[in-house]
Amino acid sequence: MKNQRLSFPHFPCFNVSAILLLFSLMLSFSIVAFAGNLYDDLYRTWGEDRCKILNNGQLLTVTLDEVSGSGFESKDEYLYAKIEMDIKLVPGNSAGTVTAFYLSSKGQYHDEIDFEFLGNETGRPYTLHTNVFCQGTGNREMQFRLWFDPTADFHSYSILWTPKHIVFLVDGIPIREFENLERYGVPFPKNQRMKLYASLWNADDWATRGGLVKTDWSEGPFNAYFKKFNAENACVWSRGASSCRSNSKFSPFSNNAWLWDKLDYGAEGNMKWVQQKHMVYNYCTDTNRFPQGLPKECYLKNPKY
């Protein structure tokens, strides 16, 4: 994944007002081009009318009350993708609630790539929980405290899944990379197509301080908000094949160069900063949890968990 720099041509005969007008028009066009309709890409799957698409397809809300939570999923399935949405989390006392945003295949031996936002008591920060499953096995959790209030405004959350790695991003900043280390015997999700799923549900048996703090239903109903679904870079599965396949193989010379991008030095530095300053749990340092030895990837030279 390469950082791109915008460059603008020099027009010596333009005055400042003209340049500002040109920039405004360019920005307006990019916003219009980006803004899709959620009805085209997503559909509500459970919770009845607790999940709603509003504002002519520009906003989706999920609600949790004492009866049920709610959720939605993507219409398309993917075998590699970058999936992104803007999310605004449940404000106030959200203890016991979980807002989930993840890719998953189906079945007992499923693959899964998770963002889960664990609610907390008023004034305490959310815990951002990440995990990677392959063939039904996870246990690869990393947790973070965000460096902003995720309930005050929308922020962008992205999952980049390619043959080379899985990257979790927040506002475009990578916070975690799980590399494809199959050459060392580490499983990597690559064979099962996945859909995007998102939901808001009650998990007060474990979500907040290990289940010590229960959901206060007098604070409900609880609401989270989603907008700007983006799967521009995605290998859509259709009729038994991926849209990114060329001669039955993924090719780095196709129009899908994003599949082969690496994190550049700037992105590596940002990820290191996040992990040093904001990571609160790393499965690769939890020796008590793995008395028979840490997972294999944790022992590799210079691993990126």
Side-chain angles (χ1 to χ4, degrees):
M1 188 172 58
K2 300 177 181 177
N3 287 342
Q4 297 181 349
R5 294 185 178 181
L6 295 176
S7 59
F8 295 91
H10 178 61
F11 298 105
C13 60
F14 274 27
N15 59 31
V16 174
S17 297
I19 293 174
L20 291 175
L21 177 61
L22 175 62
F23 181 77
S24 176
L25 289 172
M26 292 171 62
L27 181 62
S28 298
F29 176 78
S30 66
I31 292 173
V32 171
F34 179 81
N37 192 307
L38 299 179
Y39 283 111
D40 296 335
D41 300 305
L42 309 170
Y43 63 90
R44 299 167 292 171
T45 51
W46 65 286
E48 299 178 334
D49 61 356
R50 293 174 185 82
C51 183
K52 299 177 181 178
I53 299 178
L54 307 171
N55 297 354
N56 295 317
Q58 299 304 304
L59 178 69
L60 189 151
T61 66
V62 288
T63 297
L64 166 68
D65 58 29
E66 289 185 82
V67 177
S68 176
S70 56
F72 63 91
E73 66 185 61
S74 62
K75 293 183 177 180
D76 287 328
E77 294 179 299
Y78 311 99
L79 186 56
Y80 303 128
K82 182 179 181 181
I83 304 294
E84 180 178 13
M85 285 197 82
D86 287 4
I87 306 173
K88 184 178 178 182
L89 299 178
V90 177
N93 185 354
S94 57
T97 72
V98 171
T99 304
F101 178 75
Y102 60 103
L103 288 169
S104 182
S105 63
K106 297 179 180 179
Q108 180 181 358
Y109 300 103
H110 69 291
D111 297 336
E112 188 169 309
I113 306 168
D114 290 340
F115 271 120
E116 290 185 309
F117 304 91
L118 313 185
N120 222 317
E121 300 164 278
T122 302
R124 294 179 178 268
Y126 264 80
T127 297
L128 171 53
H129 177 98
T130 66
N131 201 358
V132 176
F133 286 75
C134 189
Q135 292 291 311
T137 301
N139 300 326
R140 298 182 176 95
E141 297 92 344
M142 291 179 65
Q143 295 182 343
F144 304 84
R145 299 276 197 263
L146 294 170
W147 52 95
F148 52 83
D149 180 358
T151 74
D153 204 350
F154 285 92
H155 290 267
S156 171
Y157 302 92
S158 310
I159 297 171
L160 174 64
W161 170 40
T162 78
K164 296 179 67 66
H165 59 186
I166 294 164
V167 183
F168 298 81
L169 302 103
V170 177
D171 287 336
I173 299 172
I175 64 169
R176 175 183 182 181
E177 181 184 27
F178 185 84
E179 289 189 276
N180 185 341
L181 299 172
E182 286 185 302
R183 62 191 182 276
Y184 299 111
V186 178
F188 187 84
K190 66 173 186 177
N191 296 317
Q192 300 188 77
R193 56 194 186 270
M194 300 197 229
K195 280 190 171 188
L196 170 74
Y197 298 88
S199 59
L200 175 59
W201 52 289
N202 180 41
D204 65 4
D205 57 333
W206 66 272
T208 304
R209 295 173 56 195
L212 294 176
V213 183
K214 303 300 181 182
T215 304
D216 182 355
W217 295 110
S218 69
E219 298 283 339
F222 304 97
N223 298 285
Y225 306 88
F226 296 77
K227 66 179 183 179
K228 293 184 179 179
F229 175 83
N230 184 6
E232 180 180 351
N233 290 330
C235 302
V236 178
W237 188 268
S238 177
R239 298 180 180 178
S242 166
S243 62
C244 294
R245 288 190 181 272
S246 175
N247 297 324
S248 300
K249 294 183 179 179
F250 288 101
S251 170
F253 305 106
S254 68
N255 293 328
N256 300 293
W258 61 274
L259 284 165
W260 308 100
D261 281 348
K262 298 180 180 179
L263 295 180
D264 63 20
Y265 289 113
E268 292 267 10
N270 287 336
M271 185 170 64
K272 183 178 180 180
W273 172 80
V274 171
Q275 293 185 1
Q276 288 179 340
K277 300 294 185 180
H278 299 281
M279 185 168 61
V280 295
Y281 178 81
N282 181 352
Y283 75 107
C284 273
T285 62
D286 192 347
T287 54
N288 292 328
R289 183 180 177 190
F290 301 101
Q292 304 304 316
L294 294 169
K296 185 179 293 187
E297 64 267 24
C298 300
Y299 291 107
L300 298 175
K301 183 178 179 180
N302 298 319
K304 302 180 184 71
Y305 305 119

